[in-house]
Amino acid sequence: MTRQPAADPLTVSLCRDPAEFAALGPQWDALHRRSPAATPFQSHAWLHSWWLSYGRPGRLRLVLVRRGARLVGAAPLMLAYRPLPALVPLGGGISDFFDVLLDTDCPGARTALLRGLHRAAGSAVIDLREVRPGSLTETLFRHWPGPRSRLCDSVCLELPGVGLEQLLDRLSGRAARRFRAKLRKLDALGIEERPVPAAEVPAAVGHLLRLHALQWHGRGVTPEHLRPRFAEHLTRAVGGMVGAGDAVVTEYRMDGEVVASDVTLMSDELAGGYLYGAHPRLRENKVDITTMLLRHDTRHVTASGRRVLSLLRGTEPYKLHWRPETVTNQRFLLARRRLAPALRMLTAGASGRAVAASAARSRMPAVRAWRARLRGARTPAPEPG
């Protein structure tokens, strides 16, 4: 009988070297393609760019699993102090989803990654935020050999990956007629869509961010979106992702002028509009920007065969018009037994903040009314004549 050659053994390592992380690009992206639940926020272009803009020297912690020279598992983490030591995901804050990467066709890869994470947790609790339901991280949580806790995290909204007409069928007759009128308005204005080639992405992202700042001027823009480090990250990351087919930058032109631009991020399963900017001229022309972007995204999703059109984090009213499915991200805290008190402390703190935030939201209408009355009291009456 002929004996089959033994498979290469699995090895687990902890990478702390940013140069090694940079060099992992091709292997990382190949593993990303083989990880069925991975999202665009686990691509090497996104995570390495995030590290360059937001990482802290000496804090990188990548748990890597290899079979021979082949990368078959990865958990992209970094050390943080909150104030207790914790291992947290790379990409935090500006990434909508976290997950580990696993080659599910490699026997033993999950167990090896779990072993590597357990070893890395020797002096820090693992605190995994924004874990999308159905992720590979869920399976690690279920098999974790120590104290653990699960909390709810951000709420996301999702639509099925179908055409715009099928989405309109989800609405009442009156609402569908209203949106069709908005689509006719777009056509009458002659707004044209143009996908931006990879070579032009840096300039296009810069223009998008300028439009984004202009669009939100005086209306409470997210401060991070105006910071140079975010601009550097988005330009770097999206440039690489467009080239790899993980992102699309689209410009919208009216009368030859770019009046809007957006970035759509993609994985095998889903596509989601990450950020857009629009010139106030569109509002002056009564253009419904959400409808314009949604028409583009539904075309792209159906053409590529993706199953989900994600509206990403947040439950803004304009998203709710389309009757999306609510999907709640999860937060997993994992520890070794000697760090169980630290895990309980982190869990209690997170639960308390969640309760306080819920109470604040429930009182928000009253708070807004009080602020409006206060602003009115401080506004001087117009002088006569």
Side-chain angles (χ1 to χ4, degrees):
M1 186 172 86
T2 303
R3 178 175 295 177
Q4 296 294 324
D8 290 328
L10 288 168
T11 58
V12 183
S13 62
L14 185 67
C15 172
R16 304 184 184 206
D17 181 6
E20 182 182 349
F21 184 24
L24 277 173
Q27 289 189 67
W28 192 285
D29 285 338
L31 176 59
H32 183 256
R33 306 282 182 217
R34 301 195 304 272
S35 295
T39 76
F41 301 103
Q42 282 76 62
S43 69
H44 187 268
W46 183 267
L47 290 175
H48 185 251
S49 177
W50 184 93
W51 172 257
L52 293 176
S53 288
Y54 295 90
R56 301 283 295 276
R59 303 279 188 89
L60 184 66
R61 301 289 188 273
L62 306 179
V63 180
L64 305 175
V65 179
R66 291 184 173 90
R67 184 175 289 286
R70 181 183 175 92
L71 188 66
V72 295
L77 306 173
M78 124 177 150
L79 182 63
Y81 296 93
R82 301 182 166 180
L84 301 174
L87 291 172
V88 300
L90 294 188
I94 62 170
S95 301
D96 289 67
F97 303 122
F98 169 78
D99 202 2
V100 299
L101 299 179
L102 273 175
D103 185 343
T104 53
D105 290 331
C106 178
R110 185 191 69 194
T111 301
L113 184 61
L114 197 62
R115 186 170 70 248
L117 286 168
H118 193 261
R119 188 184 307 158
S123 57
V125 174
I126 299 176
D127 185 0
L128 305 179
R129 302 289 306 269
E130 307 299 355
V131 179
R132 186 167 180 261
S135 68
L136 291 166
T137 303
E138 283 186 327
T139 66
L140 297 181
F141 176 79
R142 288 196 295 268
H143 291 87
W144 181 256
R148 59 185 182 170
S149 62
R150 180 202 301 251
L151 300 167
C152 292
D153 219 332
S154 298
V155 174
C156 301
L157 299 175
E158 293 184 354
L159 291 169
V162 298
L164 188 57
E165 280 299 320
Q166 289 174 270
L167 291 182
L168 288 170
D169 289 340
R170 298 160 64 93
L171 309 180
S172 67
R174 182 179 178 183
R177 287 192 296 273
R178 187 168 63 247
F179 279 107
R180 286 192 174 94
K182 293 175 180 179
L183 292 170
R184 290 193 295 272
K185 176 77 171 179
L186 292 171
D187 294 334
L189 289 171
I191 295 177
E192 300 175 345
E193 301 174 6
R194 173 183 176 262
V196 176
E200 299 177 26
V201 165
V205 170
H207 190 57
L208 181 156
L209 291 172
R210 288 190 292 273
L211 286 172
H212 185 75
L214 188 63
Q215 163 195 344
W216 288 100
H217 180 68
R219 298 194 299 132
V221 67
T222 301
E224 188 59 34
H225 292 166
L226 303 182
R227 295 189 174 119
R229 65 183 182 181
F230 179 77
E232 291 165 2
H233 159 69
L234 197 66
T235 302
R236 230 182 357 244
V238 173
M241 294 171 80
V242 168
D246 295 327
V248 171
V249 179
T250 306
E251 292 181 337
Y252 302 82
R253 295 174 179 265
M254 187 166 68
D255 299 330
E257 177 189 358
V258 177
V259 291
S261 183
D262 81 312
V263 172
T264 303
L265 304 182
M266 302 171 295
S267 64
D268 285 347
E269 181 184 33
L270 63 80
Y274 179 72
L275 191 73
Y276 74 92
H279 197 282
R281 180 183 172 193
L282 289 176
R283 289 203 305 272
E284 293 164 6
N285 281 274
K286 297 184 171 24
V287 170
D288 189 296
I289 298 166
T290 304
T291 301
M292 180 181 74
L293 299 177
L294 189 65
R295 177 164 69 173
H296 165 268
D297 289 346
T298 54
R299 285 172 177 168
H300 191 78
V301 166
T302 53
S304 60
R306 290 180 168 86
R307 188 181 65 82
V308 173
L309 174 56
S310 176
L311 305 181
L312 302 181
R313 291 182 292 179
T315 57
E316 296 85 350
Y318 74 87
K319 297 179 181 178
L320 298 175
H321 289 317
W322 297 93
R323 300 183 180 177
E325 178 185 354
T326 299
V327 179
T328 303
N329 285 348
Q330 302 161 95
R331 180 177 183 178
F332 294 138
L333 292 106
L334 313 169
R336 292 173 68 162
R337 298 195 186 282
R338 65 171 173 266
L339 291 179
L343 182 141
R344 288 194 293 270
M345 187 180 300
L346 287 171
T347 302
S351 299
R353 286 190 294 273
V355 170
S358 177
R361 283 193 297 271
S362 68
R363 297 176 182 177
M364 192 61 70
V367 172
R368 281 198 294 264
W370 175 79
R371 287 177 175 171
R373 289 196 298 272
L374 186 61
R375 282 196 301 270
R378 289 177 176 176
T379 303
E383 296 182 2

